[in-house]
Amino acid sequence: MSFDPSTFWEQLSSPVYLQGALIAALVALGSLVLAVAIGLVMALLKRSQSKVALASANTYLWFFRAMPSMLLLVICWNALPQLFPLFRGEWYTPFVAAILALGVSEAAYVAEMLRSALMAVDDGQRLAARALGMTPIQAFFKVVVPQATRIAIPSLGNELVALLKLTAIASVISLQELMRVATIGVQATFRYAEYYAVAIIYYLVIVSLIMLAQSVLEKRFRWTSQQARARATVKAKEGVGL
């Protein structure tokens, strides 16, 4: 059986593939947002002086690093509705379950990325902000976060790409993402090369867009970080002069 170009081009422009690619991209993006939110909390707990906070963060990281993503996925889809009535509503779809499972799982890795990014910011920046009268929260969000974000963007970009590929396992809970669309087509026609080639094209396009967005964000936050550092330095010097 030879490669059929007509089948390839027909599927490449198919709305079913486009929808599957969009679902995969949205699941990856939603999972990353959830992972960053949880990971930031874990990163801050890891830097806390409280033994309870530190133990809580270490327990979370230990547990979810040991948990296979596919196992967590089927637990979120099958076990949570069994245990908690909240997850039995119509709102709890495979799409939501996939974001929840992948986000919670990857937060264990994102936490270390964010912790290392926060540690890379010189403590002098935070102290200078405090000397200007900023509260600890203001200093964190206005001075530390922009600089830490610039450091974390490359790692988070790689994490988003990894999450995009992980969305393929969501086919086990019947999520109609890109890989499941290709698999359904293969099962119906046995045209492996054509259907999987289309999936490859879509993955390459999505990853290319992620890399482009990462490059734009790196340039933007590099400039924002430099501006924040310059303002803090100038105000500190003015404060000393006074």
Side-chain angles (χ1 to χ4, degrees), residues 184-202:
I184 291 174
V186 167
Q187 291 173 345
T189 64
F190 295 99
R191 309 292 307 193
Y192 297 93
E194 294 86 350
Y195 281 83
Y196 288 143
V198 172
I200 290 173
I201 296 298
Y202 273 101

Side-chain angles (χ1 to χ4, degrees), residues 86-163:
L86 173 65
F87 296 96
R88 297 172 191 168
E90 294 182 0
W91 69 273
Y92 195 62
T93 62
F95 179 82
V96 176
I99 290 178
L100 177 61
L102 296 179
V104 168
S105 176
E106 293 303 304
Y109 303 96
V110 172
E112 292 299 332
M113 299 177 193
L114 297 180
R115 186 169 72 94
S116 62
L118 291 172
M119 292 176 62
V121 179
D122 190 349
D123 283 341
Q125 301 293 320
R126 179 177 55 81
L127 294 175
R130 293 298 307 278
L132 296 173
M134 291 186 185
T135 65
I137 294 178
Q138 289 176 325
F140 179 75
F141 283 105
K142 292 185 177 181
V143 177
V144 177
V145 167
Q147 298 181 62
T149 301
R150 174 179 58 83
I151 298 169
I153 282 176
S155 298
L156 292 179
N158 290 335
E159 186 65 23
L160 182 57
V161 172
L163 279 167

Side-chain angles (χ1 to χ4, degrees), residues 47-62:
R47 301 187 67 191
S48 173
Q49 300 297 323
S50 169
K51 292 183 179 180
V52 175
L54 183 60
S56 300
N58 285 332
T59 301
Y60 183 95
L61 299 184
W62 163 74

Side-chain angles (χ1 to χ4, degrees), residues 2-86:
S2 60
F3 187 87
D4 185 2
S6 62
T7 301
F8 171 78
W9 290 111
E10 179 184 356
Q11 296 305 314
L12 188 63
S13 58
S14 170
V16 178
Y17 262 100
L18 182 60
Q19 182 180 0
L22 181 60
I23 290 175
L26 289 177
V27 169
L29 185 59
S31 300
L32 181 65
V33 171
L34 180 60
V36 168
I38 299 175
L40 180 59
V41 174
M42 294 300 113
L44 294 176
L45 291 179
K46 287 274 288 184
R47 301 187 67 191
S48 173
Q49 300 297 323
S50 169
K51 292 183 179 180
V52 175
L54 183 60
S56 300
N58 285 332
T59 301
Y60 183 95
L61 299 184
W62 163 74
F63 182 82
F64 285 104
R65 280 178 178 176
M67 182 79 68
S69 297
M70 183 173 290
L71 177 57
L72 187 60
L73 190 66
V74 295
I75 287 175
C76 286
W77 179 240
N78 295 315
L80 287 185
Q82 176 187 350
L83 298 174
F84 304 103
L86 173 65

